[in-house]
Amino acid sequence: MASSVICIEPVSVREGLSAEDLEDSLVLSPDSEQTSFSRRNEFDIVVYYDQHTNDVAYLRGPPTMTNAPALRAFYDTLYEFNDTKPLKDGRPPALLNGGLNAWVDLMGSHCLASSKTAAMLGSTRQRLAAAPGRPVARQRMVSSNTRFE
């Protein structure tokens, strides 16, 4: 299960961001995280969390008036602005009630997986030298059905 956990920093999301644009911005994330996000439409449920949020009050009202702008933007990105890969059965993403703090209280800190992402990204030069080349950004493909106006 931990192999399907990805880290998306709050500074990566903003109001009106599409899921496709967020996917493109994950270019520096580990390949496993990029793959998991690109397969978001295949999972039965998508759960998101922060450190401690315990209700979805941030979803009420306009996005600009929310008390948790990153959570609201991420929810909207996955549910409202996710045209090419909508979540399975049209389900909205689910908030982990109480966030990471509640998870640790329930399961214990030994149930947390730690990431090596920070160590991998510590030096871009070392990472590029150690791994085969990967494109800096994904390019959208144009199909024969695409119309340019």
Side-chain angles (χ1 to χ4, degrees), residues 31-96:
D31 291 337
S32 60
E33 291 186 14
Q34 291 180 44
T35 300
S36 291
F37 190 80
S38 71
R39 295 181 50 230
R40 63 191 173 275
N41 59 316
E42 300 173 21
F43 292 96
D44 291 329
I45 188 168
V46 173
V47 177
Y48 65 106
Y49 60 90
D50 66 354
Q51 195 67 39
H52 56 77
T53 300
N54 60 9
D55 66 26
V56 292
Y58 57 88
L59 294 177
R60 295 195 254 326
T64 56
M65 303 300 288
T66 182
N67 60 350
L71 287 177
R72 173 64 184 260
F74 189 65
Y75 175 92
D76 287 347
T77 294
L78 287 177
Y79 194 60
E80 302 293 338
F81 306 119
N82 191 5
D83 295 329
T84 60
K85 297 179 182 178
L87 300 183
K88 195 171 187 177
D89 298 329
R91 290 186 185 118
L95 175 72
L96 178 62

Side-chain angles (χ1 to χ4, degrees), residues 1-13:
M1 177 149 93
S3 64
S4 297
V5 174
I6 65 173
C7 175
I8 298 181
E9 294 295 330
V11 296
S12 301
V13 294

